Amino acid sequence: MSVKAKYQGVLNLGEQLGIKDGNVTEEGGVLKIKGEANTPYEKDLLWDKIKELGGDSPSDIKANITVSDSSVYHRHTVKSGESLSKIAKHYYGDAMKYQQIFQANTNILSNPDVIHPDQVLVIPNP
């Protein structure tokens, strides 16, 4: 199996996320990936996928992933049925951190129990 085939899941994820300025080369059995993620969350998703496929310290891949907007962790578009605690659980692994999301969005939210589909929420850096 080629190194590129091994990490195809990372390349597919990069396409799904719309990574900008993406460049992938394979030299001497090492896959080199370069690109720009929109947010730190998207960069973390890529690194998690790299570790899932290659282990914690893979020697057959080198990735240089930059971030275009590091002022926030991510921007989340609310879907029907979501709550701030569900969103907090997704991004932080802790539903009780919903207050951090609420505080970062008081310009559009007046009550942490009331959010609406299609609202775009700032997810602050953890």
Side-chain angles (χ1 to χ4, degrees):
M1 171 190 305
S2 74
V3 181
K4 189 172 182 180
K6 176 181 177 181
Y7 290 104
Q8 189 61 49
V10 175
L11 304 178
N12 293 344
L13 179 58
E15 284 183 20
Q16 288 174 348
L17 295 174
I19 299 300
K20 295 178 265 207
D21 302 322
N23 186 14
V24 178
T25 58
E26 190 174 343
E27 297 173 21
V30 176
L31 189 66
K32 295 182 179 184
I33 300 174
K34 182 176 186 245
E36 183 179 59
N38 290 314
T39 62
Y41 172 71
E42 290 179 356
K43 179 179 179 176
D44 287 350
L45 286 178
L46 286 168
W47 278 109
D48 289 346
K49 191 67 166 177
I50 288 170
K51 290 175 186 174
E52 175 188 323
L53 297 174
D56 282 338
S57 298
S59 59
D60 56 355
I61 187 168
K62 291 187 179 182
N64 180 8
I65 304 163
T66 58
V67 173
S68 60
D69 182 4
S70 59
S71 67
V72 299
Y73 188 56
H74 196 59
R75 295 183 194 284
H76 178 85
T77 302
V78 176
K79 295 171 198 65
S80 181
E82 287 186 319
S83 64
L84 287 185
S85 59
K86 184 176 179 181
I87 294 167
K89 176 78 172 164
H90 173 78
Y91 289 102
Y92 303 133
D94 182 353
M96 295 309 294
K97 291 191 175 183
Y98 76 92
Q99 280 289 352
Q100 289 178 305
I101 297 171
F102 175 69
Q103 291 301 322
N105 291 280
T106 54
N107 58 323
I108 60 170
L109 300 177
S110 57
N111 181 335
D113 296 324
V114 180
I115 61 174
H116 302 286
D118 298 323
Q119 282 180 310
V120 178
L121 303 178
V122 167
I123 308 300
N125 286 305

